[in-house]
Amino acid sequence: MTELAKYKMYINGEWVESSDGGYFTSYNPATGEPWCQVAKGTSEDVERAVQVAHQAFENSEWTSMTYSQRGKLLHRLGDLIAENYEKLADYETLDNGKLIREMRGQLQYIPEFYYYYAGLANKIHGDTLPIDKKDMFVFTSREPLGVVAAITPWNSPLYLTTLKLAPALAAGNTIVIKPSEVTSASLLELMPLIEQAGFPPGVVNVVTGFGDPVGNALTSHPLIRKIAFTGGTESARHVVHNSAKHFSQLSLELGGKSPNIVFEDANIESASMGIIAGIFGASGQSCVAGSRAFLHKSIYNEVVDRIVTRTSNIIIGDPMSPTTEMGPLATESQLKRMEHYVELGKGQGANLIYGGKRPAHLKKGWYFEPTIFEHTNAEIRIAQEEIFGPVLTIIPFENEEEVISLANNTNYGLAAGIWTNNLARAHQISKAVRAGIVWVNTYRSISPIASIGGSHWSGYGREGGVESIHEYTQNKVVWMNTSTEPMADPFIMR
Ligand code: NDP
C-alpha cells in the first residue's frame, strides 16, 4: 500500500508536528478512501501559534510596514493564487468532493478578493470631527485589533478563509487559522504562497485539528482579539460562549434555510434553472442554498415539471470529471444526515417526488441523489432545519402577503431569491424578506465588493465589501487641546 501524503502544521513560518506527534486521516469523498494525513493539533499547539502571532503583531517588520506595503503583499498573494489555482482546486476537490469545475472557478476568482483588499489597505482612514468644544481638535483613526482567530468549515475552504484572511491582513492584524478537519490540505498548500508573497513569519499561522481541542482553545484564548467563525449553529454556540471569557470580538457566518420565490410574472425557464442551481449546485452544501422553493399556484405545475425533468438528467459522479454536474457529499455523516432527513420528511407527510436515496450506479463514495419534496405544511422539520445537502422542499402560495410570511417563518435570515419581472414587486419583496443577501432573477452571485452575512440564527457581522475592514479594525478618538491658555480650574467643565 502506498504511504499517504502527510501534512504538518504551519506556525511562525515553519512546518511543525503537533505537540504529541499525532495525525488524523483525511478521506476522499469520491471514493470514501483515505488520501492524506494531517497533524492533529493540541491546546499546546494553539498556545504556541497564538503567542507567535501576538509577537508578530507587537514587534515585527509586519507592524512597521506601511499600509501600502501590506497592500502590495496582498496583491502579490493574489497573483500567486492565480498562478497556482489548478493545483489548489485539485486539493479542495480531493478533500471535499465538490466539482473540480466549481473549485477551479472559485480559485480563479479568489485573487479578486486579494486585489480588492490590497486596494483598500491604504484607504483605511479616520476623520476629523467638527467637535462642539472650543480649542479642541479631535480626530479618529482606525487601528488593527491584534491576533485574529479564523475558523472555517469544509464546503469552500479557501474562499471562506479568504473572506477573513484578506481583510484581516489589509487592516494590519495577524492571524491563526483553524480549518475544518475535513479540508485542511488546500489551506496548508497556500502557506508556501504566503511565504513567497513576502509576509513575515508569524503573521499567518495554521493549527490543524478538531473543534475540540483546537477550536475551543483558540476561541477561549486571552490574546485573541477577534474571532471570525463560519460554520454551523451548534459549534457557533460554543464559540460565543468561549468568546465571552475574554470579550473577544466576534463575527458569525452561520447557516440558512433560504427561500427561492417564483411569482407568476417571472421568466419560468430562468426561475426553474435558478431553483436547481440554488439547491443542487455544490450538492446543496452551501450556506446560501435555496432549500425552500415557493411557487405561485398559477405556475406551480409547470415549474415543478421543469425542475423534475432537469433534475432527472443531472449527471452524478466523479467530481474530477469535467462532465459531472453533481459530486458526492463531503463526509459519510453528511450522507447519513440526508437519509435521516428524507425519512423525517416522509414521516411528517411530505410527498417525495424525486430522489431520496444513494444512486444505484455508484458503489463507492458518499453520493446522494438530488431530492425533491412537495408539501403544504411549512412547519415540518425538512422545511425548518438546515439540511446542508441536495434536498429541496416546494410549497405553493397564493399572494405576496402569504409568501412573505412563509419565507420569514424560520430561525434563519441569510439569503433569498426572488423571480419576477415586476419591478415594484421586486423592491417590495426584497425589503420584506429577512435576509442579508437578496438575489432578484439570479442566485448565488458573489463578489468581493458585496458583503455576505445574515441575521438571527444565520449569525451577525459581514464578510466582504468595505464593511469587512470595520470588522478588523477599531476606532480610536484623539482629543487635542490647541489652546495656549493655561488649564482652567479642574472643577470647571469645558
Ligand atoms: P461546523 O460548525 O461543524 O464546523 C465549523 C468549524 O468550527 C470547523 O472548523 C469545526 O471544527 C469548528 N468547531 C467545531 N466545534 C468547535 C468549537 N467548540 N469551538 C471552535 N470551533 C469549533 O460546520 P461544518 O464544517 O459542518 O460546516 C457546515 C456549516 O457551515 C453549515 O451550517 C453552513 O451553513 C455553515 N456555513 C456558513 C457559511 C456562511 O458564509 N454563512 C458558508 C459556509 C458554511 P471541526 O474541524 O472539528 O469540524
Side-chain angles (χ1 to χ4, degrees):
M1 194 179 137
T2 50
E3 212 175 307
L4 299 178
K6 250 184 169 180
Y7 283 99
K8 294 180 180 173
M9 288 181 278
Y10 186 80
I11 300 175
N12 205 21
E14 289 169 1
W15 295 100
V16 294
E17 304 241 350
S18 73
S19 64
D20 64 7
Y23 280 84
F24 64 91
T25 303
S26 197
Y27 294 84
N28 178 351
T31 59
E33 286 161 9
W35 81 271
C36 75
Q37 290 204 300
V38 182
K40 191 173 171 188
T42 62
S43 310
E44 289 76 38
D45 298 318
V46 170
E47 183 61 32
R48 182 160 43 145
V50 176
Q51 290 295 349
V52 158
H54 180 63
Q55 283 303 315
F57 182 76
E58 290 288 305
N59 50 15
S60 78
E61 46 182 312
W62 177 243
T63 321
S64 55
M65 269 182 203
T66 64
Y67 281 93
S68 300
Q69 284 170 325
R70 289 195 196 115
K72 282 182 187 155
L73 298 190
L74 280 169
H75 205 281
R76 176 90 186 105
L77 179 58
D79 286 345
L80 288 166
I81 293 172
E83 285 164 26
N84 289 277
Y85 82 91
E86 282 183 329
K87 187 177 98 175
L88 294 169
D90 283 353
Y91 288 113
E92 301 225 310
T93 295
L94 268 172
D95 252 348
N96 69 8
K98 280 171 74 174
L99 298 184
I100 189 66
R101 278 191 292 148
E102 179 179 349
M103 296 334 282
R104 284 197 184 145
Q106 218 173 69
L107 261 302
Q108 275 177 295
Y109 193 47
I110 281 174
E112 295 300 326
F113 286 80
Y114 289 95
Y115 301 148
Y116 179 77
Y117 285 103
L120 270 185
N122 61 6
K123 292 162 198 74
I124 302 169
H125 56 76
D127 274 320
T128 50
L129 304 183
I131 209 76
D132 56 346
K133 303 268 185 283
K134 189 169 174 287
D135 295 330
M136 287 291 175
F137 176 67
V138 181
F139 67 92
T140 67
S141 61
R142 294 207 72 89
E143 299 187 336
L145 301 171
V147 185
V148 171
I151 305 216
T152 54
W154 41 259
N155 56 338
S156 291
L158 283 182
Y159 165 61
L160 294 169
T161 302
T162 294
L163 288 178
K164 300 162 179 54
L165 183 61
L169 296 180
N173 301 282
T174 60
I175 192 163
V176 179
I177 310 168
K178 189 208 93 64
S180 162
E181 95 277 359
V182 177
T183 52
S184 308
S186 60
L187 179 63
L188 293 166
E189 294 284 348
L190 184 74
M191 293 305 114
L193 307 187
I194 296 266
E195 262 178 53
Q196 270 185 57
F199 289 93
V203 172
V204 181
N205 307 278
V206 179
V207 182
T208 46
F210 291 76
D212 188 24
V214 175
N216 268 327
L218 190 55
T219 52
S220 310
H221 199 287
L223 289 176
I224 294 294
R225 296 287 175 261
K226 148 101 189 171
I227 301 163
F229 175 85
T230 303
T233 43
E234 273 319 302
S235 315
R237 287 196 173 94
H238 289 288
V239 169
V240 171
H241 177 80
N242 291 344
S243 74
K245 290 178 193 159
H246 302 286
F247 304 103
S248 310
Q249 293 186 33
L250 198 51
S251 56
L252 299 173
E253 299 290 342
L254 311 181
K257 191 73 187 171
S258 301
N260 215 344
I261 306 167
V262 185
F263 287 97
E264 67 280 13
D265 58 59
N267 178 322
I268 298 302
E269 172 65 10
S270 301
S272 307
M273 293 308 116
I275 286 175
I276 292 171
I279 184 64
F280 299 137
S283 301
Q285 301 169 117
S286 164
C287 54
V288 294
S291 49
R292 295 180 298 147
F294 296 101
L295 311 181
H296 189 267
K297 277 192 171 156
S298 63
I299 43 103
Y300 185 88
N301 289 336
E302 186 185 349
V303 178
V304 171
D305 282 351
R306 283 174 188 264
I307 292 174
V308 171
T309 303
R310 180 64 185 91
T311 301
S312 61
N313 291 319
I314 290 177
I315 302 167
I316 311 176
D318 180 6
M320 285 292 184
S321 160
T323 53
T324 301
E325 294 172 332
M326 239 180 87
L329 301 174
T331 61
E332 196 172 9
S333 63
Q334 275 286 102
L335 187 61
K336 292 192 172 138
R337 188 177 162 89
M338 296 310 117
E339 291 171 332
H340 170 68
Y341 272 105
V342 166
E343 288 314 307
L344 264 179
K346 289 198 251 179
Q348 289 194 301
N351 182 23
L352 178 67
I353 56 172
Y354 192 83
K357 56 187 189 320
R358 303 178 191 206
H361 71 286
L362 294 162
K363 305 292 175 216
K364 282 201 311 189
W366 300 319
Y367 295 91
F368 198 74
E369 290 176 339
T371 296
I372 305 173
F373 279 103
E374 284 180 312
H375 62 104
T376 49
N377 179 358
E379 301 298 331
I380 60 176
R381 286 183 59 188
I382 58 165
Q384 287 291 323
E385 296 174 16
E386 184 186 46
I387 299 176
F388 214 61
V391 180
L392 175 69
T393 70
I394 306 183
I395 302 185
F397 71 90
E398 268 180 43
N399 55 48
E400 289 182 3
E401 199 182 12
E402 182 191 11
V403 80
I404 290 166
S405 144
L406 285 167
N408 289 341
N409 178 35
T410 72
N411 287 324
Y412 295 97
L414 187 57
I418 300 168
W419 299 86
T420 178
N421 281 321
N422 177 333
L423 188 60
R425 172 178 269 167
H427 276 285
Q428 284 157 11
I429 306 293
S430 304
K431 196 171 166 198
V433 287
R434 190 180 61 231
I437 319 154
V438 178
W439 288 295
V440 178
N441 297 331
T442 180
Y443 205 85
R444 287 181 85 198
S445 312
I446 55 160
S447 162
I449 301 159
S451 68
I452 63 165
S455 64
H456 207 32
W457 283 29
S458 294
Y460 45 76
R462 292 292 180 267
E463 293 198 321
V466 179
E467 299 99 299
S468 199
I469 286 291
H470 292 165
E471 302 265 351
Y472 291 93
T473 54
Q474 60 199 339
N475 207 34
K476 178 176 273 181
V477 181
V478 181
W479 290 73
M480 286 192 180
N481 182 1
T482 59
S483 166
T484 50
E485 297 293 310
M487 194 73 183
D489 185 291
F491 298 102
I492 298 173
M493 298 305 291
R494 286 165 64 88

